[in-house]
Amino acid sequence: MFRNYFKVAVRHLQRHKFITVINATGLAVGMACCMLIVLYVRDELSFDRFHQQGNNIYRVTTTENSVGAGHIDYGAATPFPIGPNLKKDISSIKEAVRVCMPGNTLYTVGDKKIWEENTAFADEGFFRMFSFPLLEGNPATVFKEPYSIVLTESAARKYFGNESPVGKLMKVGNGYSCTVTGVAKDMPSNTDLSFTMIMSFSTMIKEALKVDNKLEEQWFMFSNNVTFVQLPDHTDPAKLNNELKTFVSTHIGGILRRHNIQFSLELQPLKNAHLHPAGDKGPVDNTPLIWLYVAIAVFLILIACMNFMNLTTARAHERAKEVGLRKVLGAERKSLILQFLTESLVISVISFLLAVLLVIGTMPLFNAITGKTLSVFGAADVVLYAGLLLLVLVVGLVAGSYPALYLSGLIPVRVLKGNFIASGTRVLVRRGLVVAQFAVAVALIIATVVVFSQLRYWQNKNLGFDKEHLVNVYLSGVDGDAKAALLKSSFLALSGVQQASMHNLQMGSGVMSNNPVVKEGADDKEGFVAGIVQSDFDLLKTTGIKLVAGRDFNPALATDSSDAFIINQAAARQLGFKDDAVGKRIEWRPGYMRRHGTVIGVVEDFNLRSLQVPVDPLIYMVKQDGAGIITLRLGAGDQKVVLKKVEAAWNSIIPDVPFNYTFVENDIQAQYVAERMLGKLFGVFSGLAIFIACMGLLGLSMLISRQRTKEVGIRKVLGASVANISLLLSKDFLKLVLIGICIASPLAWYGMEQWLKHFAFRIHMEWWVFAVTAALVVMIAFCTVSLQTVRSALMNPVKSLRSE
């Protein structure tokens, strides 16, 4: 029986090739988009869920509210003493592990000197807590001793070839060496703990003690340090809230009371960390974005199914006599339903095969946009393949169900008499489907325009300094301040280098330290935490940061090196100064000392961090030792040539350390990777939504024009022009498109307002976004429909009347 249904279905699809191509293409594109989105969402939701103890692992996050700051700071960075003391003070905590990420670090083995970005320091229990398999070494002892390091298998091959690296030495930076104690399997792509090499945490503590920096006594110093804790099975983390409050009060309460800061610790489930990078209470929550992608996938596949339903029901008058004859000859409604569902399933299978080919062909581009390494056949996942098979069946049944039920229910007597007329309900449903298609497409286009407008605003906004032609040269591995100063003077001697400044400021990313600042002699409670910028005398001249009051530091004035500050406008507001900040006395109180000084200048607020967050108060002082970066301002010529000269100067002074630099403008752009990806994905999906909708519109207009062939012929005989007939056939479709635009516009406005409200610096949606989108969609729809209506209007009326 099914074989017969299949043969009839194939013959019918071959007889109506154009409609078959439209249906199969629309469904294939919808399925391909759905498959890509499912792979992406599946990967996002799988981050760090593979750890055996994952349900018991929590990340310690912080909430900080400095009274008077006007906002609450949420974050995942924790002070260094938090981890071991939590384990010691709270009995419910089974294990605590700190992971500190120092950033770009130089590693040397023999003549191989390589900068590594993904490095970390970790406590002894790292490999006991997390399920990263060790190929060599004992998980319990690899980090037991200071100066131990574990490499991933790819890093081991890069430095040691095919030899076992265990027991061999690696030089770190320009100082100490570590012994390789283990080799770990390369970490999967779906983890936020993706490192190529990990050193024992005790190594960092030992190195800090050499410069009298007792990290484990710095209870309010935040660095790129994250703390994880493991609780016993079936332990409710909410029950630890009171113990966490007591812990904070015991160890940090004095500091908090002195500076009038409200501070708390929370436990965030590890599975939430990827989508909530600043903690579950933090401002960044990517979960709605994940569900938005799911909604887009559903909408795209529904649009394709709507097309199928529309085209099939629109062709009902053509198949009405077929249904009538079959019923007269004894066909039951059940067999007719199965026949139409078989046709639908055949198209669905064909579409699925085309979709798989589309996914394979577009996967490299999709991976480039999302920054992932997804693959349809990369993992033997039964659930994934079963889901794809289910998708084929569901699409086939959903797309074919309404036409099958509708066509099989036609009354044979009326059909064979030629009295078949589509009911108002059927026409209304068809029109509703067209409206829904274009509403989705319009909403996606508006979202795309808004996202790219926000990105363009961020790219073009004046940041308060001149970001062009600025280069950060990193001094990691440079031994001593004298060599750093010699490098600066050597760079300045080169043609093409206009200015240079040594500092601890990460131009394009933020400051490296934050400490309390108060008015001189004031109580700690009146202070606030500010970013501390330590530099030489040339920072403002090099970066183009503008003074709004006072003067710059002057090397001819001895007091400027020890008794002077420059602050930004945000700091002036925090201190309660208006236009009278210059000449006022303030204090920097990092905890281990106090530095007094006079405010000699106020600079314009400049954005160091992402424009998603407000400008932080900053205090700038002259302190030329311990600089981590030299920022160069290059001329407008060939910058590659200049950088080669800079590298040559570097190599002549420090030949043992590879030259390492970044452009400040690139560092700034790197902060908006997620938003650029969002804009590109919205752009692709909106384009595909319009394509699928227009494919359906083209097929529908063809069928409607075919139904009105006699009417068109009569109108032409009576003198109607081609333009009049084309407009007559097009206007009903354009009305539906306009209704879709009216429905989508307020929904898109609300959704994008919710997205934009999270940003400190944002655009305001203008009317032209909606007007341009509406005009674009109407034009595309009109051109699509015109392909068929103009053809119908040009048909010879004698021929059209004879065909009737």
Side-chain angles (χ1 to χ4, degrees):
M1 182 66 72
F2 177 77
R3 183 180 177 186
N4 181 58
Y5 291 150
F6 179 76
K7 281 184 178 181
V8 173
V10 171
R11 288 171 185 167
H12 178 79
L13 296 176
Q14 286 178 334
R15 191 177 305 120
H16 303 278
K17 294 182 179 64
F18 185 71
I19 296 298
T20 301
V21 168
I22 287 179
N23 277 329
T25 303
L27 283 174
V29 172
M31 284 184 181
C33 291
C34 188
M35 289 162 66
L36 289 171
I37 292 174
V38 166
L39 288 171
Y40 175 82
V41 169
R42 180 173 170 272
D43 185 74
E44 285 289 288
L45 295 177
S46 70
F47 265 67
D48 286 307
R49 291 178 182 248
F50 55 85
H51 301 289
Q52 293 179 0
Q53 298 295 327
N55 291 333
N56 298 326
I57 300 175
Y58 297 83
R59 185 174 65 167
V60 181
T61 61
T62 63
T63 301
E64 181 182 340
N65 182 10
S66 299
V67 177
H71 64 274
I72 300 175
D73 290 322
Y74 301 91
T78 53
F80 293 107
I82 293 288
N85 284 280
L86 277 174
K87 183 179 179 181
K88 184 174 66 175
D89 291 7
I90 301 178
S91 59
S92 298
I93 292 179
K94 184 177 179 180
E95 183 72 85
V97 170
R98 295 166 294 180
V99 178
C100 182
M101 292 149 278
N104 225 1
T105 305
L106 178 65
Y107 291 87
T108 304
V109 175
D111 59 351
K112 295 179 181 177
K113 300 175 183 293
I114 303 174
W115 289 97
E116 297 281 356
E117 182 67 31
N118 298 319
T119 67
F121 294 94
D123 275 319
E124 189 177 341
F126 181 83
F127 285 103
R128 293 196 300 268
M129 179 181 288
F130 299 105
S131 301
F132 297 119
L134 282 176
L135 302 177
E136 296 184 60
N138 186 339
T141 59
V142 286
F143 291 145
K144 189 173 183 179
E145 300 296 332
Y147 303 103
S148 301
I149 186 169
V150 172
L151 311 180
T152 59
E153 54 183 327
S154 57
R157 283 194 300 269
K158 181 164 61 174
Y159 287 93
F160 297 97
N162 295 324
E163 298 179 10
S164 173
V166 174
K168 296 179 180 178
L169 293 176
M170 295 187 73
K171 189 176 181 181
V172 183
N174 200 31
Y176 59 93
S177 294
C178 287
T179 302
V180 179
T181 55
V183 176
K185 189 175 181 180
D186 283 342
M187 295 182 178
S189 59
N190 59 338
T191 177
D192 289 318
L193 300 171
S194 183
F195 307 117
T196 55
M197 40 203 32
I198 310 172
M199 292 170 282
S200 57
F201 207 92
S202 54
T203 304
M204 184 173 64
I205 295 172
K206 288 273 188 182
E207 285 297 303
L209 286 173
K210 290 180 180 179
V211 292
D212 201 30
N213 184 0
K214 300 177 181 180
L215 292 179
E216 296 202 305
E217 295 180 10
Q218 301 285 352
W219 278 97
F220 213 65
M221 184 182 82
F222 293 85
S223 185
N224 202 10
N225 177 68
V226 182
T227 302
F228 298 92
V229 297
Q230 181 180 336
L231 306 183
D233 292 340
H234 312 300
T235 301
D236 183 0
K239 294 181 179 179
L240 274 65
N241 287 340
N242 290 333
E243 292 182 84
L244 290 172
K245 290 178 182 178
T246 303
F247 178 87
V248 170
S249 177
T250 301
H251 295 286
I252 318 176
I255 301 172
L256 300 177
R257 286 188 291 273
R258 282 200 308 274
H259 297 287
N260 203 17
I261 298 173
Q262 298 173 358
F263 182 84
S264 63
L265 299 176
E266 288 89 27
L267 298 183
Q268 178 192 32
L270 179 64
K271 63 184 180 181
N272 294 357
H274 180 67
L275 297 178
H276 301 77
D280 287 344
K281 295 181 180 179
V284 181
D285 180 5
N286 292 318
T287 307
L289 199 58
I290 293 298
W291 293 116
L292 177 60
Y293 288 138
V294 172
I296 290 173
V298 172
F299 282 136
L300 288 176
I301 201 72
L302 283 179
I303 286 176
C305 292
M306 289 173 189
N307 279 345
F308 186 93
M309 295 180 190
N310 260 345
L311 293 175
T312 307
T313 53
R315 291 182 59 235
H317 79 290
E318 296 182 7
R319 304 198 68 179
K321 288 186 178 180
E322 175 193 344
V323 172
L325 286 172
R326 287 190 174 208
K327 282 197 169 184
V328 168
L329 294 173
E332 296 180 356
R333 187 177 187 187
K334 179 178 70 173
S335 63
L336 291 172
I337 291 175
L338 289 175
Q339 176 63 60
F340 291 125
L341 287 179
T342 301
E343 291 179 14
S344 177
L345 285 171
V346 169
I347 291 180
S348 183
V349 171
I350 294 171
S351 301
F352 173 73
L353 296 176
L354 291 174
V356 171
L357 294 176
L358 283 173
V359 170
I360 293 172
T362 58
M363 186 64 80
L365 176 62
F366 188 75
N367 283 335
I369 292 174
T370 59
K372 293 186 178 293
T373 54
L374 302 175
S375 174
V376 182
F377 308 111
D381 191 333
V382 176
V383 176
L384 176 61
Y385 298 142
L388 294 177
L389 179 60
L390 182 63
L391 175 67
V392 177
L393 296 174
V394 169
V395 169
L397 293 175
V398 169
S401 57
Y402 177 73
L405 293 172
Y406 171 47
L407 290 173
S408 64
L410 297 177
I411 301 172
V413 175
R414 291 178 56 191
V415 168
L416 294 175
K417 282 184 177 181
N419 295 328
F420 170 74
I421 300 176
S423 70
T425 304
R426 303 286 189 266
V427 174
L428 186 63
V429 170
R430 191 186 311 151
R431 289 175 177 175
L433 293 176
V434 173
V435 169
Q437 289 179 354
F438 279 91
V440 172
V442 168
L444 286 172
I445 292 174
I446 291 173
T448 302
V449 174
V450 171
V451 170
F452 276 112
S453 297
Q454 179 66 29
L455 283 170
R456 188 174 65 251
Y457 169 76
W458 282 335
Q459 291 166 351
N460 298 330
K461 185 182 182 299
N462 179 13
L463 300 178
F465 64 93
D466 186 1
K467 63 185 178 182
E468 294 186 1
H469 312 311
L470 282 183
V471 175
N472 285 333
V473 178
Y474 298 95
L475 300 176
S476 176
V478 176
D479 188 15
D481 297 323
K483 282 191 176 181
L486 180 58
L487 282 170
K488 177 188 172 184
S489 60
S490 299
F491 294 158
L492 283 171
L494 300 172
S495 60
V497 178
Q498 297 179 345
Q499 299 285 347
S501 175
M502 297 191 302
H503 53 80
N504 73 332
L505 185 66
Q506 182 71 41
M507 294 299 298
S509 298
V511 295
M512 296 181 181
S513 61
N514 295 272
N515 294 128
V517 175
V518 298
K519 294 180 182 178
E520 187 175 54
D523 189 87
D524 285 336
K525 289 184 178 180
E526 298 179 24
F528 59 95
V529 176
I532 307 301
V533 180
Q534 301 174 22
S535 173
D536 57 17
F537 290 91
D538 302 317
L539 182 63
L540 301 191
K541 292 191 290 288
T542 301
T543 60
I545 297 172
K546 297 178 181 178
L547 278 163
V548 295
R551 62 175 177 85
D552 195 357
F553 290 111
N554 187 346
L557 299 176
T559 54
D560 277 11
S561 299
S562 59
D563 192 55
F565 294 103
I566 291 176
I567 63 177
N568 68 348
Q569 293 170 311
R573 290 191 294 270
Q574 285 284 92
L575 287 162
F577 301 146
K578 295 182 179 179
D579 297 328
D580 57 347
V582 176
K584 297 294 177 65
R585 300 282 295 178
I586 62 174
E587 290 181 41
W588 170 45
R589 297 177 181 174
Y592 58 89
M593 59 166 285
R594 293 191 178 195
R595 177 167 173 169
H596 301 251
T598 301
V599 177
I600 64 169
V602 179
V603 296
E604 188 176 81
D605 281 342
F606 57 98
N607 295 89
L608 287 173
R609 295 198 293 161
S610 165
L611 289 167
Q612 299 173 6
V613 296
V615 176
D616 293 323
L618 294 176
I619 309 296
Y620 167 30
M621 69 186 76
V622 173
K623 191 173 182 293
Q624 302 190 70
D625 58 316
I629 294 173
I630 298 178
T631 295
L632 308 178
R633 177 165 295 284
L634 306 183
D638 190 341
Q639 296 181 356
K640 290 182 179 179
V641 173
V642 178
L643 284 171
K644 285 182 179 178
K645 295 178 183 178
V646 172
E647 184 174 6
W650 173 284
N651 291 334
S652 66
I653 298 170
I654 311 174
D656 296 334
V657 179
F659 180 59
N660 187 28
Y661 73 94
T662 60
F663 280 94
V664 169
E665 197 160 10
N666 292 342
D667 293 339
I668 292 171
Q669 293 303 317
Q671 300 177 41
Y672 307 115
V673 171
E675 286 71 28
R676 278 199 298 276
M677 183 194 77
L678 178 66
K680 290 177 182 177
L681 287 178
F682 273 4
V684 170
F685 293 142
S686 60
L688 292 173
I690 279 288
F691 172 77
I692 296 172
C694 287
M695 287 286 287
L697 202 59
L698 177 62
L700 200 57
S701 63
M702 184 195 73
L703 294 173
I704 297 300
S705 297
R706 192 182 298 173
Q707 292 174 15
R708 301 177 70 175
T709 301
K710 186 174 182 179
E711 176 190 348
V712 170
I714 293 172
R715 287 180 180 273
K716 289 200 74 175
V717 168
L718 295 175
S721 66
V722 172
N724 288 335
I725 293 175
S726 297
L727 183 61
L728 174 71
L729 296 176
S730 301
K731 65 180 183 179
D732 287 340
F733 292 109
L734 296 181
K735 286 178 184 177
L736 300 178
V737 173
L738 288 172
I739 293 172
I741 292 170
C742 292
I743 292 173
S745 295
L747 296 176
W749 175 86
Y750 176 79
M752 297 318 294
E753 274 293 324
Q754 295 301 306
W755 181 69
L756 289 169
K757 74 178 184 180
H758 294 105
F759 306 138
F761 299 90
R762 50 157 290 182
I763 62 168
H764 294 281
M765 283 189 286
E766 303 287 346
W767 64 269
W768 65 262
V769 173
F770 302 91
V772 169
T773 301
L776 177 66
V777 172
V778 169
M779 183 179 68
I780 293 172
F782 180 74
C783 291
T784 302
V785 174
S786 296
L787 291 173
Q788 180 59 38
T789 57
V790 171
R791 180 184 174 189
S792 299
L794 291 172
M795 184 180 294
N796 188 330
V798 175
K799 184 178 179 181
S800 62
L801 290 173
R802 184 182 299 160
S803 67
E804 286 289 322

